[in-house]
Amino acid sequence: MSTSMATGSAQLDATATPPRLQVAGDWTLAHYASLEQAVAALKPPLGTDTVIDLSGLGALDTAGASLLAEVLGASRLGDLAQADPTLPAAQRALLQTIGAAMADYREPKLIRQGNTLTDLLSRIGAAMENVWHQQVQLLGFIGLTLQTFARTVLLPRRWRVTSLVAHLEETGLDAVPIVVLLTFMVGAVVAFLGSTVLADFGATIYTVDLVAYSFLREFGVLLTAILMAGRTASAFTAQIGSMKANEEIDAIRALGLDPMELLVLPRVLAMLAALPMLTFLAMIAGLVGGGLVCALVLDIPPVMFVNLIKSDIGVRHFLVGIAKAPVFAFLIAVIGCLEGFKVSGSAESVGEHTTSSVVQSIFVVILIDAVAALFYMEMGW
């Protein structure tokens, strides 16, 4: 390789037949400014019939090679470097590499600047499309869960009893203190506020009916479902998502096991068993909280409180409330498991899908509860 420090040059002899381009000197970063002017004067790229003479080429680096690629064209530069035996091996390799890289290069597309209204409508449309895809995935996962249950329910040897009991303890027994405490406090607040309002009408006795009616039909199951959505759905997503990130689910499939049967079904069944029992405890705790306020503030003794509930509140109100618990339980468990399977493999993805599972679960619970309330009202139940 030449060790001269002469500035590189490119002389085009247009009078020759065919035209001839003489490349000489050092094509390096130190001479980039003058080389760029010489290349611009040639109005690249040159025609394919132009003969290229690289015999006078001195030092060469990537900056000079990129300018040669601009003059000759990326594909022709690579072919020329491969065909010219006079070039040192290092220069041939560099020219071929630059030619291949420049051939794959594409000019980035300019992003069209839209106005505020267009951007807003675009984001709304993207959000709606995302919601639609989520609902389609949820329906498909519900079908897959039901299919797995139907396939295994008649095969006792495939039941995961140990896993079911463990999840039942985690989702049910461990949640009893927080559910009972919260509903007890809410029951007391509802009774206190109800008595304050009803006192203006001289109807404080109906505070008992207010507490019983609200907790048996709505608050008992709704508060419990929201608590389980925040507590258990997030746990399901984090557990399955961590397994997905660590490729443990792939290992389960490699062992010939079904992740739906091994991971999803025990969690769904545990939630189906736990939520109705927790709902019943929440109803009792809410009534106890309301009864305590009635006893302390309204001078309604517990015996009278219970007798008023027995005479004024029918069993159908309890059945209306408890009937919603299995539906909520199934949807919460399925959403939590589905979001766990969506995790892509990073800790950030686990956090995002855990948040998404909680938000979706609470939204679905409130939506289904509102629809059910309208349905019961129209049916007169």
Side-chain angles (χ1 to χ4, degrees):
M1 180 183 295
S2 173
T3 59
S4 64
M5 295 299 293
T7 302
S9 63
Q11 300 293 331
L12 177 63
D13 185 3
T15 61
T17 305
R20 185 179 186 84
L21 178 66
Q22 178 70 36
V23 178
D26 295 342
W27 286 63
T28 59
L29 183 61
H31 310 298
Y32 189 85
S34 59
L35 289 173
E36 189 176 26
Q37 294 177 358
V39 168
L42 294 174
K43 298 179 180 179
L46 299 178
T48 56
D49 59 338
T50 304
V51 177
I52 310 300
D53 184 4
L54 299 178
S55 59
L57 182 63
L60 181 69
D61 62 8
T62 53
S66 64
L67 289 175
L68 285 175
E70 184 178 342
V71 174
L72 306 178
S75 60
R76 188 178 181 190
L77 179 66
D79 296 339
L80 182 64
Q82 187 175 7
D84 192 343
T86 63
L87 290 174
Q91 289 187 352
R92 286 202 307 269
L94 178 59
L95 290 175
Q96 290 175 358
T97 302
I98 295 298
M102 297 290 287
D104 294 338
Y105 176 74
R106 296 291 183 272
E107 287 288 341
K109 294 182 179 180
L110 295 177
I111 300 177
R112 184 177 59 85
Q113 297 294 332
N115 55 43
T116 303
L117 178 60
T118 303
D119 293 341
L120 177 61
L121 294 176
S122 176
R123 294 190 64 176
I124 292 175
M128 295 302 296
E129 184 179 8
N130 184 43
V131 170
W132 169 255
H133 288 315
Q134 285 183 345
Q135 302 314 308
V136 171
Q137 289 179 340
L138 178 60
L139 290 175
F141 196 75
I142 289 174
L144 188 59
T145 303
L146 295 175
Q147 179 189 15
T148 305
F149 175 76
R151 189 175 65 245
T152 59
V153 67
L154 299 178
L155 300 173
R157 61 185 179 82
R158 299 180 65 174
W159 294 353
R160 306 289 175 176
V161 179
T162 303
S163 178
L164 175 61
V165 173
H167 288 300
L168 186 59
E169 178 184 3
E170 178 186 350
T171 60
L173 186 61
D174 293 347
V176 168
I178 183 65
V179 170
V180 170
L181 177 61
L182 178 67
T183 51
F184 175 83
M185 299 300 295
V186 173
V189 170
V190 170
F192 182 77
L193 294 177
S195 64
T196 302
V197 174
L198 293 173
D200 296 336
F201 304 95
T204 54
I205 193 67
Y206 291 108
T207 302
V208 178
D209 295 348
L210 173 65
V211 172
Y213 189 85
S214 61
F215 267 88
L216 291 179
R217 292 183 67 96
E218 293 293 335
F219 284 166
V221 63
L222 186 60
L223 292 174
T224 304
I226 291 175
L227 277 176
M228 298 302 283
R231 180 184 182 276
T232 307
S234 60
F236 288 173
T237 302
Q239 292 165 359
I240 297 178
S242 298
M243 296 180 68
K244 180 75 177 297
N246 295 330
E247 299 182 354
E248 295 177 37
I249 294 179
D250 295 333
I252 290 173
R253 291 193 177 100
L255 293 173
L257 300 174
D258 184 5
M260 294 294 298
E261 182 180 330
L262 192 66
L263 302 177
V264 176
L265 211 54
R267 288 173 167 82
V268 172
L269 294 178
M271 181 68 84
L272 283 171
L275 190 57
M277 292 187 288
L278 290 173
T279 299
F280 178 76
L281 292 178
M283 292 176 178
I284 298 301
L287 293 177
V288 170
L292 181 62
V293 171
C294 289
L296 297 178
V297 177
L298 305 179
D299 295 328
I300 300 176
V303 174
M304 183 179 179
F305 184 87
V306 173
N307 289 332
L308 287 173
I309 292 177
K310 290 170 60 178
S311 61
D312 297 344
I313 307 298
V315 179
R316 64 184 178 88
H317 298 299
F318 167 76
L319 297 178
V320 163
I322 204 69
K324 293 184 284 188
V327 179
F328 292 164
F330 182 77
L331 292 174
I332 291 170
V334 166
I335 291 173
C337 294
L338 174 60
E339 290 299 315
F341 280 106
K342 288 182 181 179
V343 171
S344 60
S346 63
E348 182 181 2
S349 179
V350 174
E352 290 176 355
H353 287 286
T354 300
T355 303
S356 177
S357 70
V358 174
V359 173
Q360 287 187 56
S361 299
I362 294 177
F363 174 78
V364 168
V365 164
I366 295 177
L367 177 64
I368 298 298
D369 185 72
V371 173
L374 293 175
F375 175 76
Y376 291 150
M377 182 180 65
E378 292 296 328
M379 296 298 293
W381 293 350

